[in-house]
Amino acid sequence: MNSIGLLAMALLAVVTSLVALTRRSLIHGGLMLVVGWMAIAGFYFVTGAEFVALAQMLVYVGAVSMVVLFAVVLTRPAEEQLATPTGESAWRALSGIACAAPLLGMILACAGTIAASQPVRVPFVSVREIGLALMERHAPALLLVGVILTAALIGAVLLAAPEEKEDAK
């Protein structure tokens, strides 16, 4: 039953990521990324890593997806600025190769893990211990990520803001 859940979550994550890549609408692509990130969180839940799953939901599904969607909405170009890129099929082929390479690596890694005959013993770590380790050692990094995301959103708003034209009087 666990294997079916893992396969379902992995399939959902891969399919939604591919759909996000192929959508012409950035909002639809961003929403598909949200579904993919939720599938990854479900993957963590199925494997018993509840803390990582909740962190995935809070950080990616909650915060990063909102920053992505706000940036897309705030920086949406006018219809006349949208142009069909030349050589689109070449870019699609390159993006397919870029997606296939990590996928192949993950398949090979999973196949090597499944082929191992002995189960791996993982020491039990409580959620409290993980939280303390994060806050003791990695609190500045977490704060820095928040500042970078805020700066990126402010920069996107400034770049998307229409320029004021000076009236010659």
Side-chain angles (χ1 to χ4, degrees), residues 30 34 37-38 54-71 142 145-150 152-153:
V34 170
W37 287 331
M38 286 193 294
L54 291 173
Q56 172 82 15
M57 292 292 287
L58 285 173
V59 173
Y60 284 101
V61 176
V64 174
S65 64
M66 290 304 110
V67 169
V68 168
L69 291 175
F70 279 135
L142 293 173
V145 167
V147 169
I148 290 172
L149 288 174
T150 304
L153 184 59

Side-chain angles (χ1 to χ4, degrees), residues 48-52 54 124-134:
E50 291 86 7
F51 181 79
V52 179
L54 291 173
F124 178 76
V125 180
S126 71
V127 174
R128 179 178 172 81
E129 290 172 357
I130 294 172
L132 288 174
L134 280 175

Side-chain angles (χ1 to χ4, degrees), residues 69-85:
L69 291 175
F70 279 135
V72 167
V73 169
L74 292 173
T75 60
R76 180 177 284 176
E79 291 295 326
E80 62 269 4
Q81 291 178 339
L82 293 175
T84 304

Side-chain angles (χ1 to χ4, degrees), residues 5 8-14 16-17 30-46 52-62 65-66:
M9 291 298 130
L11 185 64
L12 181 64
V14 169
T16 56
S17 299
L31 291 173
M32 285 292 109
L33 281 178
V34 170
V35 175
W37 287 331
M38 286 193 294
I40 293 170
F43 189 83
Y44 291 137
F45 270 121
V46 171
V52 179
L54 291 173
Q56 172 82 15
M57 292 292 287
L58 285 173
V59 173
Y60 284 101
V61 176
S65 64
M66 290 304 110

